Amino acid sequence: MAAPNIETIVSLSKRRGFVFPASDIYGGLGSSWDYGPLGVELANNIKQSWWRWMVYERDDIEGLDSSIIQNRLVWKYSGHETTFSDPLVDCRTCKGRFRLDKLQDVQCPNHPSVHPGEDKECNLTEAREFNLMFRTTVGAVSADDDPSALAYLRPETAQGIFTNFANVLNTSRRKLPFGIAQIGKAFRNEVTPGNFIFRTREFEQMELEYFVRPEDAAQVHQELIDSFEKWIESLGISGGNLKFYEQTKEELAHYSERTVDILYRFFPERVDEEKQWDELMGIANRTDYDLRVHSKKPEQDGKRINPDSTEDLSYFDPQTNERFYPYIIEPSIGVNRTMLAVLMDAYSERTNEKGEVRVILKLSPELAPIKVAVLPLAKNKPEIVEMARGIKKDLQPTMRAVYDDTGGIGKLYARQDEIGTPFCVTVDHESLGDNAVTVRFRDTWEQERVSVDQLKNFLREKLGL
Ligand code: GAP
């Protein structure tokens, strides 16, 4: 089973400390969210899984962490200043503001049974382009609109990779094909953010830019599409809730020759099956567009397309003696969207022997914020408490462990099930005599007696550590 809708995850997240509305004590700020004690652990585990899989397990990827605020020229030559916009319409009646291409996804504020523009009272303006980049000014400027101080918060992490292509190539002594991976914040002044952490104005991306010979691009593109589907499934997301979508020519970004999105069933409650799906990630063939536009190299007709860049970003192949611009294959996925999909897919319910419905978050052990909770059966027995605290301390360097004695054992188990802790370890009266504890399994509620001497290895094996 998976969550029946996003609302179920919103309420679980707030109740248990995964995600809170940002600036809540001042009335919040539309579609801004803060990640609580469990949310930050889950997000970190997702990022670590991606980084390990990309940078450590492959031999052809380097890591990078570039600046959020870059020289404005980066966004001029990338094309974002002129093309990174959404078509926007206003309604003169309700004063609502909507994305023209997403009218079907929202309700008319005055008549929620229809979409904007469908009621006779709706009075939409002509569409106009709205640039999504957040603007800021750099330095102590005299006026807020001083054009020489204008800068943007990056709307994608990718451009920092392209501008560092030669730095990484030269310092790491790489040859094609190779990739550069980056995880970091991105910002977009979205016209219609919403659906919890699905679309927000501040979010985090995990992006790989993989540089290849032009003739290899199509094949590498397909290989990365397939391998990313497998990585998403390795996070515990069911293949039945994923599908591929080939973007149409009209939908392609200005730099892309082909983009395949991997969609997740974010809206299972929608009656129309087609509308249940939305983008989890995109995998684009960006061609040689990016290195070409950021390069100082003269074009063949002698005209420089970029008079501001100081670097030639073409690649010299010593084996063939050719110089050319590599093609770039770009798998790009949001941390926050991945987290939402992971939480939705892990959600399940089970009825206990008393007829009470319990939530079990069946997170993969790799992603679970807490791997093991150590619980004393009697918190008024100092020897039991001491033994439980000692076990927690012993486990902690190897796995994220917590000690909890703030309720009866049934309540403590239920609490850990709801946040996805794969194992609970209970210290009881017998433990003092036999030096053994009860290990309880989250997904089956089965229990097993394990000697304290064997406990760390037992859990390590089960957790795959
Ligand atoms: N560099 C390519 C790029 O940025 P994109 O399809 O615009 O492509 C990639 O974004 C991924 O980033 C999306 O598939 C999604 O997971 C995430 N993402 C994009 N905009 C987002 C937003 N407003 N809120 C949350 N995640 C977002």
Side-chain angles (χ1 to χ4, degrees):
M1 126 173 230
N5 48 43
I6 290 181
E7 279 314 307
T8 307
I9 300 300
V10 176
S11 107
L12 170 71
S13 294
K14 187 161 185 193
R15 191 169 68 245
R16 299 313 319 275
F18 281 95
V19 183
F20 307 119
S23 349
D24 207 17
I25 62 167
Y26 290 108
L29 174 70
S31 295
S32 291
W33 301 92
D34 293 337
Y35 290 77
L38 299 175
V40 65
E41 297 285 349
L42 178 53
N44 282 343
N45 291 345
I46 290 170
K47 288 185 269 186
Q48 268 169 27
S49 167
W50 186 89
W51 193 264
R52 230 185 347 255
W53 177 64
M54 283 276 93
V55 183
Y56 298 169
E57 287 175 19
R58 294 179 62 129
D59 296 322
D60 54 353
I61 314 273
E62 301 285 347
L64 183 80
D65 185 11
S66 66
S67 289
I68 286 172
I69 299 174
Q70 303 270 354
N71 188 313
R72 180 184 166 188
L73 292 170
V74 170
W75 309 107
K76 173 180 171 182
Y77 287 102
S78 69
H80 283 78
E81 270 197 337
T82 45
T83 61
F84 195 63
S85 54
D86 280 339
L88 187 128
V89 290
D90 291 296
C91 177
R92 295 184 186 94
T93 312
C94 73
K95 310 293 178 213
R97 181 162 282 181
F98 315 101
R99 254 174 81 169
L100 182 66
D101 56 333
K102 296 277 179 195
L103 290 180
Q104 291 300 309
D105 294 352
V106 289
Q107 274 93 37
C108 167
N110 286 354
H111 303 278
S113 61
V114 297
H115 304 296
E118 289 180 353
D119 188 86
K120 60 180 177 345
E121 284 176 25
C122 293
N123 185 357
L124 300 185
T125 60
E126 287 291 304
R128 65 197 158 86
E129 289 299 317
F130 172 73
N131 195 292
L132 300 184
M133 285 196 291
F134 274 102
R135 298 155 72 98
T136 188
T137 46
V138 174
V141 291
S142 51
D144 279 351
D145 56 357
D146 179 351
S148 66
L150 175 62
Y152 303 102
L153 305 189
R154 68 180 175 199
E156 61 171 8
T157 72
Q159 297 299 325
I161 296 181
F162 306 141
T163 54
N164 277 293
F165 171 71
N167 289 336
V168 177
L169 180 72
N170 296 334
T171 53
S172 62
R173 309 185 70 76
R174 287 281 179 185
K175 292 198 170 52
L176 294 190
F178 79 99
I180 304 177
Q182 172 159 234
I183 299 176
K185 291 255 181 176
F187 303 82
R188 296 180 190 176
N189 203 357
E190 298 279 3
V191 179
T192 40
N195 290 314
F196 190 38
I197 53 175
F198 177 81
R199 182 172 287 109
T200 49
R201 296 192 170 102
E202 172 181 344
F203 55 98
E204 218 168 353
Q205 289 186 314
M206 302 181 280
E207 299 202 291
L208 168 69
E209 308 300 327
Y210 196 73
F211 303 92
V212 296
R213 294 183 66 89
E215 62 272 25
D216 297 335
Q219 190 191 329
V220 173
H221 190 195
Q222 193 54 51
E223 285 166 4
L224 281 170
I225 293 166
D226 297 340
S227 75
F228 263 85
E229 187 198 20
K230 290 201 183 73
W231 177 72
I232 294 169
E233 287 183 1
S234 81
L235 300 180
I237 294 179
S238 126
N241 284 332
L242 295 171
K243 73 174 180 182
F244 294 114
Y245 175 74
E246 185 89 34
Q247 286 194 10
T248 62
K249 285 265 171 298
E250 295 70 41
E251 290 168 322
L252 289 176
H254 60 279
Y255 50 71
S256 175
E257 181 174 286
R258 179 185 176 219
T259 297
V260 173
D261 292 336
I262 299 185
L263 311 183
Y264 178 74
R265 200 191 297 271
F266 284 106
F267 306 99
E269 75 283 11
R270 291 183 181 164
V271 182
D272 183 350
E273 216 265 344
E274 280 298 299
K275 294 194 170 152
Q276 294 179 358
W277 304 88
D278 214 326
E279 177 186 332
L280 171 59
M281 74 172 298
I283 304 147
N285 176 351
R286 294 183 74 124
T287 71
D288 58 1
Y289 176 88
D290 301 284
L291 294 182
R292 211 177 253 286
V293 296
H294 285 305
S295 186
K296 75 167 187 181
K297 186 175 185 296
E299 291 295 273
Q300 266 164 0
D301 60 4
K303 217 173 104 201
R304 262 181 64 177
I305 54 171
N306 185 337
D308 295 309
S309 169
T310 58
E311 191 74 49
D312 175 5
L313 299 177
S314 62
Y315 174 82
F316 179 72
D317 187 330
Q319 264 158 357
T320 60
N321 272 338
E322 288 171 283
R323 184 167 279 287
F324 59 92
Y325 292 107
Y327 267 40
I328 296 171
I329 308 301
E330 178 197 60
S332 173
I333 183 164
V335 174
N336 322 74
R337 250 179 228 190
T338 306
M339 181 161 154
L340 180 56
V342 159
L343 285 169
M344 289 188 77
D345 230 77
Y347 184 91
S348 71
E349 291 175 356
R350 178 170 172 174
T351 307
N352 67 13
E353 64 286 350
K354 292 187 201 149
E356 298 158 337
V357 176
R358 295 280 185 234
V359 172
I360 309 180
L361 208 51
K362 295 189 174 176
L363 293 172
S364 75
E366 185 190 18
L367 297 190
I370 295 165
K371 313 298 181 202
V372 55
V374 186
L375 317 170
L377 200 63
K379 70 170 178 185
N380 51 5
K381 260 298 218 175
E383 304 92 304
I384 292 183
V385 168
E386 194 188 333
M387 187 172 177
R389 285 196 182 277
I391 291 172
K392 185 262 157 185
K393 206 167 172 206
D394 186 47
L395 294 174
Q396 182 52 65
T398 321
M399 61 197 78
R400 173 88 169 107
V402 294
Y403 167 89
D404 191 3
D405 65 7
T406 57
I409 197 70
K411 205 168 177 181
L412 295 180
Y413 283 155
R415 210 183 269 169
Q416 295 299 331
D417 285 346
E418 207 182 8
I419 61 172
T421 307
F423 300 103
C424 288
V425 166
T426 309
V427 180
D428 53 29
H429 295 90
E430 282 89 81
S431 305
L432 300 174
D434 66 3
N435 199 36
V437 288
T438 301
V439 176
R440 175 186 177 273
F441 296 77
R442 176 195 68 197
D443 296 348
T444 59
W445 292 354
E446 281 169 6
Q447 304 194 353
E448 197 174 324
R449 200 77 183 160
V450 178
S451 140
V452 173
D453 301 336
Q454 300 298 319
L455 184 64
K456 199 187 283 180
N457 280 345
F458 176 89
L459 293 171
R460 263 166 106 151
E461 198 180 301
K462 301 269 181 224
L463 290 163
L465 294 174

